[in-house]
Amino acid sequence: MLAKVTSAAVVGLDALPITVEVDVAAQGLPSFTIVGLPDKSVEESKERVRAALKNSGADFPAKKITVNLAPADLPKEGPAYDLPIALGILIASEQLRAEITDSIFMGELSLDGSLRRIWGVLPCAIMTRDQNFKNIFIPTDNLDEASIINKITVYPVKNLRQLFDHFTTENLPAGMAGKIEPAKAKKQIFKVLHNDDYDFENIRGQENAKRALEVAAAGSHNLLMKGPPGAGKTLMARSYATILPKLSFEESLEVTKIYSVANLLNRQNPIIVSRPFRSPHHTTSHIGLIGGGNIPRPGEISLAHRGVLFLDEFPEFTRQVLEALRQPMEDGHVTISRAAGSVKFPCRFSLVAAANPCPCGYLGDETKNCVCTPSAITRYQKRISGPILDRIDIHITVPAVKVEKLTTASKSESSKTIQSRVQKARDIQEKRFKGLPITSNAEMSGKNMKQFCNLDELSITLLKQAITKLNLSARSFHRVVKIARTIADLEASVKIKQNHVAEALQYRPQTD
Ligand SMILES: [Zn+2]
C-alpha cells in the first residue's frame, strides 16, 4: 500500500511542502530505500526509523519499503523527515489509519521513539499557515517557536507512540489518554527581555562616547570608536543594543526565522525578543561572516539583522572581508547563489567598529607609552580606510577612563532613559520618510537631504566656515548634515540649528 505524508524543507529562510511517499510492497525481498535527493543524514534516517518503530511497540515490516521525497530535484537534508517516514510506514503497512491530508509532520527520532528538537521549525510553521494546512506536528521541544504562528493548530509530539495513540483515539472525545493536546497560539509569550548585564548605567564616565552612541542609535548611523585597550569599547558596543528602538513583533519574527534556520534557538531562547549583538572575530571565514555553504546558512551579518554587528579590532579584518561586506550593507540583504538556485538573507544591522589607535594600543595615552615605530603606526592606521569607512558616519575617540571616574558612586543614565529619547527621534524619522524606501536619516540620499534638512542661517554660516577651514570634502559635508539632522531630531527641532551642526562636526573622522 502507498501512504503520503506531508513534511517541509527549508530553503533559505522559507519552507516548502515535501511529500513523503512510502510504499510497502507485498512482494519482493525485504529492503528499505530512500530516493529524492536525500543527503547522508536523511539516509541515516532508516536506522533511526527502524529502531524507533520497534521500540514503540510497532512492527517494522520485513518487506520492500520505498520512500520517495518529492519534489525530487530539491536536495533534502537533516533528520526532520524521520517522523513523516515512520508515520508513512505505519500507514502503508496498515498498522495505522489516519486522516492526515491537512497536516505537516516533522521531527527527528531517537532510537527509543522519542522526538528530538529540530531546526527550521518557524519557517515551516509559517508555510503551514500560508499554504492553508490546518495542523503541524512537531517535537515538544520546538513548541514555543511554532506556537507564535496563529491560525494553525500546533501539536507537540513527545514520541512516536503518542502520535500512534493520537490517531487511534482520533474519534474518541478530547482529553482521552493518549490524545495530543493542541497548543494554544501564544503571542503573549512574546515580551521584551532586558539583559541587566549590559546597561548604560553601568558605564562610568565616557560621556562623549555615550552621547555619540545615542546619536548613532537615533539616526541609525554606523560608528567607529578608537581608543586604547580597556577603555570599555566592547562594553559600550554591547550596551548599544539596549538603546536601539524596541524590536517589534514582526521584526522579532524576522530575526527568529534567521536563528531557527541557523539552528541557534534552544529551549531557553525559543524566540529572539531582543536585538541581537554579534561580534565575529577578525579570523572568521568569509562564509561564517557573509553566509553560504552547500545548503546556504545565514552568516554573522544576517545573525546581526535588526541588531548590532560589532567588529572589534577593525584594522585586523582583511580587505577582502570588508569588501565583501559592502554590497550587503548597501542592499540590506545578501544573495547567495548555488547550483540549486539562490537564496536571500536579510542583513540590516547597525555597525559598530572599534580600533586601537596603534598596534600596541597606547598611542596618545596619558598613562602608558606607545612602543610602536612610526611606520608601524602609519601602516596600521592606513588599514582603517577603504570600502567600509565610507559607510561610517560617526567617528569617536574613547580614552582610557580616569580612576576617580570609575570609583564615583553616582550612577549614569540608564539605557531605558536613553532609549526613550532614541525612540522619539526614530518616530519623527518614520513620519518624515513615509512613502519613501528609507526609514532613517543615515539612509538619506542627496535629494532627500535637500528636502528634509532645513538648516537655519547660523548653521549655514558655520557649515561654510567648516568647509573652508577644515577643508571638508563633499562626502564629509553630507555626513555632517545627516548627523546634524539626527541631533535636531533628538531635540524634536524641525530646523537644524548651529549647535546641532557644531556637535555633528565633532564626529567627523580625523583624516577628513
Ligand atoms: Zn603603539
Side-chain angles (χ1 to χ4, degrees):
M1 189 188 158
L2 178 72
K4 282 186 186 177
V5 183
T6 312
S7 189
V10 176
V11 180
L13 283 188
D14 298 310
L16 293 171
I18 295 291
T19 306
V20 180
E21 296 173 324
V22 182
D23 181 62
V24 176
Q27 285 166 351
L29 290 171
S31 65
F32 190 178
T33 320
I34 300 178
V35 296
L37 283 190
D39 80 344
K40 197 156 177 293
S41 58
V42 180
E43 263 303 303
E44 287 171 351
S45 175
K46 287 188 228 168
E47 301 313 316
R48 292 189 297 269
V49 167
R50 193 193 307 263
L53 279 168
K54 282 186 178 164
N55 292 327
S56 303
D59 210 17
F60 185 83
K63 289 180 176 171
K64 184 173 189 283
I65 302 169
T66 312
V67 175
N68 179 35
L69 307 173
D73 56 351
L74 183 79
K76 324 290 186 310
E77 61 149 0
Y81 302 108
D82 291 0
L83 184 67
I85 291 172
L87 181 62
I89 290 174
L90 286 171
I91 295 170
S93 60
E94 296 176 26
Q95 299 181 66
L96 177 68
R97 254 193 232 181
E99 181 46 60
I100 54 168
T101 46
D102 282 340
S103 306
I104 300 284
F105 294 87
M106 47 199 312
E108 174 183 348
L109 284 169
S110 301
L111 299 185
D112 66 359
S114 57
L115 281 176
R116 284 210 175 112
R117 173 178 193 94
I118 48 171
W119 61 270
V121 163
L122 182 58
C124 296
I126 293 171
M127 183 278 284
T128 303
R129 180 196 62 196
D130 293 349
Q131 303 247 357
N132 298 317
F133 288 91
K134 280 189 188 143
N135 316 307
I136 184 167
F137 291 78
I138 49 149
T140 308
D141 256 9
N142 288 104
L143 177 61
D144 285 342
E145 185 184 337
S147 53
I148 49 174
I149 302 302
N150 51 18
K151 295 185 185 148
I152 55 169
T153 308
V154 179
Y155 288 95
V157 186
K158 275 194 215 111
N159 53 51
L160 193 55
R161 178 79 219 180
Q162 192 193 22
L163 189 70
F164 185 87
D165 291 345
H166 176 77
F167 285 115
T168 48
T169 58
E170 195 168 35
N171 298 318
L172 300 174
M176 282 281 298
K179 265 191 112 63
I180 303 173
E181 278 295 313
K184 302 232 168 17
K186 27 180 173 176
K187 202 166 172 171
Q188 66 269 23
I189 59 172
F190 176 80
K191 58 175 188 293
V192 175
L193 297 175
H194 186 62
N195 189 341
D196 288 327
D197 292 347
Y198 300 107
D199 193 306
F200 270 53
E201 73 181 10
N202 299 330
I203 305 172
R204 306 286 155 79
Q206 302 295 17
E207 300 310 324
N208 290 338
K210 281 192 270 188
R211 168 65 183 174
L213 285 162
E214 177 177 341
V215 174
S220 186
H221 302 283
N222 296 324
L223 174 140
L224 171 70
M225 310 186 248
K226 267 192 213 171
K233 291 178 297 210
T234 306
L235 180 62
M236 277 190 277
R238 277 194 173 276
S239 307
Y240 182 56
T242 64
I243 63 164
L244 291 172
K246 285 209 175 74
L247 203 60
S248 70
F249 181 71
E250 282 68 31
E251 287 176 324
S252 163
L253 268 188
E254 275 176 28
V255 180
T256 304
K257 243 167 101 172
I258 297 170
Y259 279 71
S260 176
V261 168
N263 198 11
L264 288 174
L265 298 175
N266 52 46
R267 202 190 284 206
Q268 284 74 38
N269 301 299
I271 303 160
I272 306 294
V273 292
S274 45
R275 295 202 179 260
F277 173 87
R278 301 298 296 187
S279 170
H281 193 255
H282 58 79
T283 55
T284 305
S285 69
H286 185 275
I287 286 181
L289 197 68
I290 308 295
N294 270 343
I295 290 178
R297 289 276 186 280
E300 289 292 336
I301 59 169
S302 294
L303 295 172
H305 180 56
R306 305 282 179 209
V308 179
L309 183 72
F310 178 50
L311 301 183
D312 200 3
E313 300 186 51
F314 189 57
E316 303 293 337
F317 283 82
T318 65
R319 219 182 158 84
Q320 289 103 298
V321 163
L322 297 182
E323 192 66 59
L325 274 175
R326 190 192 179 97
Q327 200 60 42
M329 276 177 80
E330 233 151 75
D331 300 342
H333 64 253
V334 55
T335 307
I336 295 162
S337 302
R338 281 291 167 273
S342 64
V343 298
K344 239 189 215 181
F345 294 120
C347 59
R348 288 197 184 285
F349 54 80
S350 300
L351 176 71
V352 177
N356 293 336
C358 66
C360 85
Y362 293 101
L363 181 70
D365 194 80
E366 289 170 21
T367 52
K368 271 193 185 179
N369 288 331
C370 169
V371 296
C372 309
T373 62
S375 66
I377 294 172
T378 318
R379 237 179 301 132
Y380 185 82
Q381 289 184 340
K382 267 205 182 134
R383 286 161 84 173
I384 323 179
S385 66
I388 288 222
L389 214 64
D390 286 355
R391 306 203 62 83
I392 297 180
D393 290 342
I394 298 184
H395 295 242
I396 51 166
T397 303
V398 184
V401 185
K402 297 221 172 69
V403 179
E404 57 266 36
K405 277 267 190 187
L406 286 174
T407 49
T408 47
S410 69
K411 274 213 165 186
S412 309
E413 228 179 359
S414 72
S415 288
K416 207 177 160 205
T417 312
I418 301 171
Q419 198 242 16
S420 67
R421 292 197 295 264
V422 167
Q423 187 72 57
K424 278 182 195 149
R426 282 283 185 107
D427 292 345
I428 292 172
Q429 293 165 57
E430 199 168 295
K431 270 194 200 141
R432 171 181 303 144
F433 301 128
K434 208 166 189 176
L436 292 172
I438 60 171
T439 54
S440 65
N441 291 340
E443 298 165 87
M444 281 192 288
S445 65
K447 197 179 150 208
N448 297 143
M449 284 167 59
K450 275 205 183 105
Q451 190 181 350
F452 300 117
C453 297
N454 190 351
L455 295 138
D456 75 4
E457 259 174 51
L458 285 171
S459 62
I460 292 174
T461 316
L462 179 60
L463 267 172
K464 278 184 181 160
Q465 282 172 357
I467 291 169
T468 39
K469 270 197 194 158
L470 303 168
N471 201 12
L472 283 192
S473 64
R475 187 181 287 137
S476 26
F477 169 78
H478 279 160
R479 254 196 298 242
V480 168
V481 175
K482 276 188 212 177
I483 300 167
R485 176 68 274 169
T486 301
I487 297 168
D489 287 343
L490 277 166
E491 283 177 14
S493 165
V494 179
K495 282 210 163 187
I496 298 174
K497 296 179 188 159
Q498 198 180 20
N499 62 318
H500 306 142
V501 172
E503 185 183 344
L505 280 168
Q506 292 172 24
Y507 300 135
R508 72 187 194 287
Q510 291 144 333
T511 49
D512 268 18

